[in-house]
Structures are given as structure tokens and as C-alpha cells.
Amino acid sequence: MTQHLADRTQPTSDPAGVTGSRPDWWRDAVIYQVYPRSFADGNGDGMGDLPGIRSRLPYLAGLGVDAVWLSPFYASPQADAGYDVADYRAIDPMFGDLHDADALIRDAHDLGLRIIVDLVPNHSSDRHEWFQRALREGPGSPLRARYHFRPGQGEAGERPPNDWESIFGGPAWTRTDNPDGTPGEWYLHLFAPQQPDFNWENRAVRDEFRSLLRFWLDMGVDGFRIDVAHGLVKAAGLPDMGRAEQLKMLGTQVLPFFDQDGVHDIYRSWRQILDEYPQPRIGVAEAWTPTADRTALYVRPDELHQAFNFHYLNTPWDAAGLRRVIDSSLDSMRPVGAPTTWVLSNHDVVRHLTRLGGGPARARAATLLMLALPGSAYIYQGEELGLPEVTDLPDEVRQDPAFFRRGARAESDGQDGLRDGCRVPIPWTAQGESYGFGSGGSWLPQPADWGKLAVAEQTGDPESTLELYRAALAIRRDHPALGAGDAVEWLAAPAGVLAFRRRGADGSVLVCAVNTTEAPVPLPELLTESGHALLASGHRPAGSTLPPDTTVWWQA
């Protein structure tokens, strides 16, 4: 049942003074993703929660980020870690209640932090009141029109309505039972069977989500990260794909269930609501598209404000490849006037320290490169501690729904089901059963050597990854040449090295050089004479040599 706050007649807090009064705060913001299950446990039940997050907000303010994005905390059966929402206006009891959300938003604003919440519009939980009523009322129910219910193929309707596959593996359709117990219609779920897809051609669905936007904006949130933003609209008639292993096509071409042009009308209507509120409230698209140009369509001036740059995230540690994707990203966003975003890790991918190879040195170098680029940067909780992916979790503790569907399909027929490895609760102290995460253990086991990576252990150590992030974010906030703008000026550099110049509006100049190779590289005089080194991801250059897997910022 939807929760209510007493006397909720005014927003929880006025964000007008948050991080200053810049109306375009989001264009170069550094946004920190909190995965609520795994950030901090306030009540000692082994699961992270809103009071735990609230208690750690001073840490995030001290880190130097501008905003905090919270993954879902809504009422949910947790079939997919909260991305199966049963009630969008209520907090799941494992995380707290609306009063906790209210207090968290107020505290964040008092600390100069903005709050962005996850919105899940492609699908609901199968426990959502609408879906439950649709099942009870049977074929012909108006509630069924809010989802994609279809009769099956075959003489007795025994085959799915089309050949679409779930992102988690197996068919994207599940058959229902009629109220009298006989086999019934099928419903579409592009993810787990517990996540039926909404039908966005239905007016009630569109009206409901416009109402939800206002509910949370009135609570005081500063924006929304929109889950599966590319998936809301399906091609008319739900045509067959005509081939298997459809996940391999994700992000390579427009699909009948992803990146359909009709999604843009939805976001235009949402932008009108966002613009009704003082101080820009933003929309951020999680949109897997074939090209950066397709991504740019989501952030035209009358649509959303940002879109995740998955093309950059998926680029290997290679100078030529990185330069190509940086150029294409900036070039695609410039015509629509939107900032490019940069991200290395999140709750769905292998942590970049592990994914890029090369260990901590390469991960630190990748971070300084990302933070030197124009636009907005996203940090995933724990990457500032240098956390690796946890690759040896026992099968019996895993909770990723894609993992449990692997037995019924080929491993190439869906996600690998191993996303739990980047979701292990983060360490705060060197001692304790859960390294300071909470007094009651942690919902996923933490590696035995994580104590040395804890916040308390790294704080004050100038060689630590945490202090590197703090230093980089402080410089980025103070230096006019970092973050702002929409271009880089490439400089001549040896093979395997990226070098570029950034110019601030005040005439200041910063030079960034990145050695992506595994050997020291001599630098041209242009770089060595650029001025004093502001920050290095590892050992500072000795003379005219840049160490392997190292990024350096110079003040020119």
C-alpha cells in the first residue's frame, strides 16, 4: 500500500541553494551512484538502507561529488533487487519509509548534495496492484491493456505470441492461467517473468508516470535516472525478430522492442513537467543504442538532460579506441547542446579495475582520464576505494535473477547472471564482521582482504585511491578548464599515449596525458614544458618519461 507523509504540502527542502545557484549544475556534475543494498546498513539486519545512507552523506560531501543517484528503494518483492516495483509511492520496509527518504533528501541538500532517484518505467513487479487485478479479472479486463497480454500461437495457444527473448535469458513471454484454472493468455517481460512490461500506448500508463514524477519532485528530488529508457515503446504488431541470441544485437541496431522512435514523445512530455520546477530537475536516460548519434536523440533540448555513455564504458584500454569514442561522443552531443557523460562502472557491469585489466594502476589512470573530459562524470560506489570485482561468490548466495535462468538456456542466450560481483557491500573500517557496513553482517559475503581497502584505512594516506579521488574532484571543481565545455584539443603524442589540452573560460589551461601502454613512454617537449604537474594517477613523470598505465594533469 502506498505510504504517505503527514502534512506533505511543501517539498521536503528547497534545492535552490544546493551546490550554489547554477542553473546548469548538471552539465559538468560528478554524480555518485549509491546501490542502497550495499552502501551502509543502519539497523544491523545485513541489508543497506536509507538511514545507513543518510549517516554516510557527510562522507560523500567530503569526497567532492555534486549529486547522489540512488538505485531503487521502492516497495518490491526484490525479484530483481528492487527493479521490480510493486508500489512507486512507497519505500520498501527493508530500506525504511517515506520519512527516512524525506530526512535523507533534507540532509543531502543541507550538505550541498543533490538527489537523483531511479525510476523504472519499462516494467512493474508482477505484484503491482494493476497486474494482480489484470490476472484476477482475466481476458478483456481493462487492466490487461496496461500491459502486453496476447493469445499464444498454435492450435491451443501453447506457443508464445512471438520469438522475442528475455534479456535475462529464455522466452520474453510467460503464460498465465485463467481465473477458472485453464491455460490463458501470455504476457511480455523483457526481463524476469516477475517484471511484466507496461504498454506505453495506454493512456493510463502515461498519466500514472506523469503523476509519479510530480510525487517525487514534490518530495524534493533533483532528478531521475530512467531505467531501460530505450525500451518503453514496442514496434506495432510486436513483429518476430527472426533469429536467436538476440542479446548479442543489443546496442548494435534498432530492435522492435528497444530504441523505437516513439519513446521520444514520452520524454518530451516529461521534460515539460521537469521544467515546471525551480532550479533544473533533470532526467538521465539509461539508453542502450547502436550509435552515439542515436543516444543524442534522447537529450535534444526538449527531452532529457543526460544519457549514459555506454559506448565509452565498453571501450578497451587502448589509446586509439579511446580517442575515437571520445571524439564521436563529443561530436554527437554538440549539435543537440547536451553534455557528454562518462562512466566506468555501475551496478550492472564488472568493476573497471577488473574489467580493464592492469590492476589498480590502470583503474586509477582511467579515472583521471574520465574526470579530465568535458561533461558530467558518474562514479559507482566503492570505485573510489579501488574495489575489484568479486569473482568467487558461491552459487548459493547469488541473487541475480539472470543467474537462476541459466540452467534453462545456453549461456549465450542472456546476461551471464554474475552481476552480484559488483554489488558486494563496501568496507568502511578494517575491523568488524562486515568492515563497518553494519552490525549484522552483510547480505553478500565480502572478501577477507577488503579491510585494507576500507575508507578508514585509506583516509589520510596520500598514496591511496580514495585520496586520489578526493584530490581529483577538488581540482576538477576549482579548475575552470575541467568538466566544462564540449571539446578537447588533441596534442601530438607517441603511440599508445593520449594527450589533450583543456582551456577554461578565464584563459586557464590544463594538459592531460595518458599512457595506455605497459612500458614507460618518452614525452614530447610540449608536454614536459607545459608547467607543473597538478596530479598524477601513479608516480609522477621522471623527467620526460611517462610511466605505464599513468595519467597526469599539468597546469599550463
Side-chain angles (χ1 to χ4, degrees):
M1 178 178 294
T2 298
Q3 301 163 358
H4 297 279
L5 272 180
D7 302 322
R8 192 181 62 82
T9 58
Q10 298 293 329
T12 60
S13 55
D14 180 2
V18 176
T19 60
S21 57
R22 286 179 47 209
D24 61 348
W25 64 270
W26 46 275
R27 299 191 68 88
D28 59 359
V30 177
I31 300 173
Y32 186 100
Q33 181 189 357
V34 165
Y35 192 68
R37 286 171 160 241
S38 302
F39 190 67
D41 174 15
N43 63 4
D45 66 355
M47 184 70 66
D49 49 38
L50 297 185
I53 297 169
R54 184 184 175 198
S55 72
R56 298 294 187 178
L57 287 175
Y59 164 77
L60 296 178
L63 184 62
V65 300
D66 301 295
V68 179
W69 152 35
L70 300 174
S71 292
F73 47 63
Y74 309 106
S76 165
Q78 303 294 319
D80 184 22
Y83 282 94
D84 51 316
V85 182
D87 189 340
Y88 291 84
R89 293 178 178 84
I91 308 297
D92 194 279
M94 75 165 57
F95 299 128
D97 58 27
L98 281 177
H99 293 282
D100 293 315
D102 176 88
L104 189 154
I105 295 168
R106 288 181 184 274
D107 284 1
H109 287 168
D110 288 344
L111 288 166
L113 297 168
R114 297 181 185 265
I115 293 292
I116 296 170
V117 299
D118 232 308
L119 191 65
V120 188
N122 179 70
H123 48 263
S124 73
S125 166
D126 62 350
R127 298 300 171 184
H128 192 286
E129 179 184 6
W130 285 3
F131 192 76
Q132 287 294 300
R133 282 185 55 192
L135 293 179
R136 289 196 304 268
E137 294 174 6
S141 167
L143 273 297
R144 293 206 171 196
R146 300 180 186 184
Y147 296 91
H148 293 278
F149 281 86
R150 295 289 187 278
Q153 300 186 74
E155 184 175 341
E158 68 276 8
R159 298 199 309 276
N162 68 20
D163 65 358
W164 293 1
E165 296 172 354
S166 164
I167 302 302
F168 290 164
W173 296 89
T174 290
R175 195 172 193 182
T176 67
D177 291 328
N178 289 323
D180 64 3
T182 60
E185 295 179 320
W186 298 70
Y187 68 89
L188 176 68
H189 52 86
L190 291 179
F191 295 89
Q194 298 92 338
Q195 296 169 291
D197 279 44
F198 283 118
N199 175 15
W200 275 85
E201 303 301 327
N202 184 276
R203 178 171 294 181
V205 173
R206 297 193 179 216
D207 289 347
E208 169 68 356
F209 274 88
R210 284 193 289 266
S211 174
L212 288 169
L213 291 178
R214 289 192 170 95
F215 178 89
W216 287 102
L217 291 168
D218 288 345
M219 281 280 291
V221 304
D222 301 288
F224 302 91
R225 178 265 190 185
I226 301 160
D227 185 59
V228 196
H230 54 294
L232 277 56
V233 172
K234 278 65 173 177
L238 309 184
D240 281 338
M241 289 283 293
R243 58 160 288 180
E245 297 187 341
Q246 294 164 15
L247 183 64
K248 293 181 178 180
M249 304 171 69
L250 179 61
T252 66
Q253 59 185 283
V254 176
L255 304 176
F257 46 80
F258 279 162
D259 199 28
Q260 292 288 307
D261 290 336
V263 299
H264 299 291
D265 288 337
I266 297 169
Y267 300 132
R268 291 188 186 96
S269 73
W270 289 13
R271 180 60 178 264
Q272 292 174 2
I273 293 172
L274 293 169
D275 287 349
E276 293 173 5
Y277 288 77
Q279 294 297 310
R281 315 297 177 92
I282 70 169
V284 182
E286 183 212 24
W288 291 87
T289 66
T291 65
D293 289 338
R294 291 289 299 181
T295 302
L297 299 179
Y298 290 78
V299 290
R300 288 175 285 193
D302 60 345
E303 294 192 40
L304 302 174
H305 298 76
Q306 293 183 350
F308 287 135
N309 188 350
F310 293 118
H311 306 287
Y312 182 77
L313 183 150
N314 287 324
T315 302
W317 187 242
D318 168 76
L322 286 165
R323 178 167 174 169
R324 282 193 298 271
V325 77
I326 291 168
D327 281 340
S328 66
S329 299
L330 293 169
D331 290 346
S332 65
M333 294 296 158
R334 201 173 295 117
V336 297
T340 306
T341 65
W342 312 99
V343 62
L344 292 169
S345 292
N346 64 36
H347 66 292
D348 280 333
V349 301
V350 173
R351 286 186 176 276
H352 72 271
L353 185 147
T354 300
R355 188 182 71 250
L356 294 178
R362 184 169 297 176
R364 290 160 59 104
T367 294
L368 285 200
L369 167 60
M370 176 182 77
L371 292 175
L373 297 170
S376 180
Y378 282 77
I379 295 172
Y380 178 53
Q381 65 176 46
E383 72 172 74
E384 79 277 15
L385 304 178
L387 297 187
E389 184 81 357
V390 181
T391 58
D392 58 353
L393 288 171
D395 289 355
E396 59 269 20
V397 305
R398 293 188 179 276
Q399 298 192 24
D400 186 346
F403 178 80
F404 299 103
R405 291 172 65 84
R406 294 203 308 172
R409 60 177 171 81
E411 291 194 12
S412 60
D413 186 30
Q415 288 184 338
D416 60 19
L418 303 179
R419 294 179 298 167
D420 294 309
C422 64
R423 301 175 178 183
V424 175
I426 67 175
W428 294 92
T429 60
Q431 294 80 34
E433 183 182 356
S434 62
Y435 303 113
F437 169 68
S439 60
S442 64
W443 68 281
L444 284 175
Q446 300 158 300
D449 62 350
W450 268 21
K452 64 185 180 183
L453 299 175
V455 172
E457 291 298 295
Q458 296 196 44
T459 295
D461 177 359
E463 302 299 319
S464 71
T465 298
L466 176 57
E467 293 299 347
L468 175 71
Y469 271 73
R470 286 173 171 158
L473 293 177
I475 293 171
R476 179 184 164 102
R477 178 167 288 190
D478 293 340
H479 203 296
L482 287 171
D486 62 4
V488 299
E489 180 184 347
W490 294 107
L491 304 174
V497 173
L498 291 173
F500 56 87
R501 182 185 288 126
R502 302 292 320 284
R503 298 181 184 273
D506 63 346
S508 60
V509 177
L510 183 140
V511 173
C512 177
V514 188
N515 180 4
T516 67
T517 75
E518 297 180 2
V521 175
L523 292 175
E525 291 183 0
L526 176 63
L527 294 181
T528 57
E529 297 177 356
S530 290
H532 67 279
L534 282 176
L535 190 64
S537 64
H539 295 293
R540 293 183 182 234
S544 60
T545 299
L546 184 62
D549 285 331
T550 300
T551 299
V552 180
W553 294 351
W554 277 278
Q555 173 71 58

